[in-house]
Amino acid sequence: MKKLIALVLVSASSFSLAWGQNCSKFYPMTEGTSYEYTNYNKKGKVDGVTSYTVANVTSEGDATKATMELRFTDKKGKEVFNSDYNITCLDNVVRVDYKSLFPSQMMQQYSDMGMEMDISGTDIELPNDLSVGQELADANVAVAMSMTGMTMNINVAMTDRKVETRESVTTPAGTFDCYLITETNTSETMGAKQQMNTKLWLAEGVGMVKQETYKKNGDLMSRTELTKFDQ
């Protein structure tokens, strides 16, 4: 459960930056646009594939809203989960609704088990314009799950977010001029903490090109690369 929440939260931040053709220069705003990312473990072996599709785009006043569909399959091609989440772009800032980050099938499953879930947090905010040295706002989500008098609390936070530099990155999808963003991801369950450091490469007109996750001691845990992009 904790790992799933962290995965969804980090994935959402990766794909939420500056959403909207009229709202940003980073991501294309076309319904049906799709991305495919291959996830690799620390040894460089394929661990699964994450696919994203722009499902719906609407305008409400000065705001642009989009629904992003997410599907994750393991290394054998079996679907692990699918979900969607909501993004709003307004006043030169993109906000991700933290409550929509949780897969609906997971929410229904726990509800059927008689479990109550209380979700709170801070929407992920990302500015449209990036510059080297820029610091980005922190984000977090907290989940309190209770059943038959027992409660389990899970907290995931993204902190120390900063635009480090610009550099060229090559993946199976091509070569891209990217901004490198670093951040710290900390998850806590019933007092037990786990900290990960993330490097995220973003390209104008495409979005996330590459992402690497490291342990607190600097050892590589996983890598994700853009392998297909259809607009």
Side-chain angles (χ1 to χ4, degrees):
M1 176 66 178
K2 178 180 68 176
K3 182 178 180 180
L4 176 58
I5 291 174
L7 171 64
V8 175
L9 184 62
V10 172
S11 296
S13 72
S14 305
F15 290 86
S16 62
L17 182 59
W19 196 267
Q21 196 170 38
N22 297 323
C23 205
S24 167
K25 60 187 177 182
F26 279 91
Y27 282 83
M29 188 63 163
T30 306
E31 291 183 4
T33 298
S34 62
Y35 306 77
E36 182 180 280
Y37 295 83
T38 300
N39 311 307
Y40 302 89
N41 62 23
K42 62 182 180 180
K43 295 182 179 180
K45 295 184 178 180
V46 175
D47 202 30
V49 174
T50 308
S51 302
Y52 295 80
T53 302
V54 183
N56 185 51
V57 178
T58 59
S59 295
E60 297 181 13
D62 295 331
T64 300
K65 296 186 177 183
T67 299
M68 197 71 175
E69 291 183 347
L70 178 157
R71 179 173 177 266
F72 178 73
T73 56
D74 63 19
K75 59 185 178 182
K76 295 182 179 180
K78 180 180 179 181
E79 182 174 302
V80 177
F81 73 88
N82 63 74
S83 185
D84 56 56
Y85 55 90
N86 304 316
I87 301 168
T88 300
C89 184
L90 178 66
D91 297 331
N92 209 38
V93 175
V94 169
R95 295 175 174 84
V96 181
D97 177 9
Y98 62 84
K99 288 186 178 180
S100 71
L101 294 177
F102 296 87
S104 56
Q105 62 187 45
M106 180 189 74
M107 298 288 287
Q108 185 61 50
Q109 178 183 1
Y110 282 100
S111 177
D112 292 342
M113 293 169 56
M115 181 176 292
E116 296 182 357
M117 298 182 67
D118 181 32
I119 304 172
S120 60
T122 304
D123 287 346
I124 303 170
E125 295 187 358
L126 296 143
N128 292 341
D129 298 320
L130 296 180
S131 60
V132 175
Q134 182 178 2
E135 295 183 356
L136 305 178
D138 294 344
N140 74 285
V141 62
V143 183
M145 299 182 293
S146 59
M147 184 172 64
T148 62
M150 297 181 62
T151 301
M152 181 172 70
N153 297 305
I154 300 174
N155 295 280
V156 180
M158 296 188 298
T159 59
D160 305 320
R161 304 171 67 222
K162 184 178 180 180
V163 183
E164 296 288 349
T165 187
R166 294 189 70 166
E167 57 189 36
S168 179
V169 175
T170 299
T171 75
T175 299
F176 307 90
D177 180 28
C178 298
Y179 286 94
L180 169 60
I181 297 176
T182 58
E183 64 183 42
T184 299
N185 296 277
T186 304
S187 58
E188 182 176 1
T189 304
M190 307 301 287
K193 287 187 177 182
Q194 180 180 21
Q195 180 176 306
M196 301 177 293
N197 298 312
T198 300
K199 292 182 178 180
L200 177 67
W201 287 265
L202 296 159
E204 295 181 13
V206 178
M208 190 185 90
V209 171
K210 183 179 177 180
Q211 178 175 289
E212 293 178 345
T213 302
Y214 297 83
K215 292 181 180 180
K216 187 177 180 179
N217 63 7
D219 291 344
L220 179 68
M221 295 176 63
S222 63
R223 183 180 88 253
T224 298
E225 291 184 352
L226 178 66
T227 46
K228 290 183 181 180
F229 175 57
D230 296 315
Q231 186 177 355

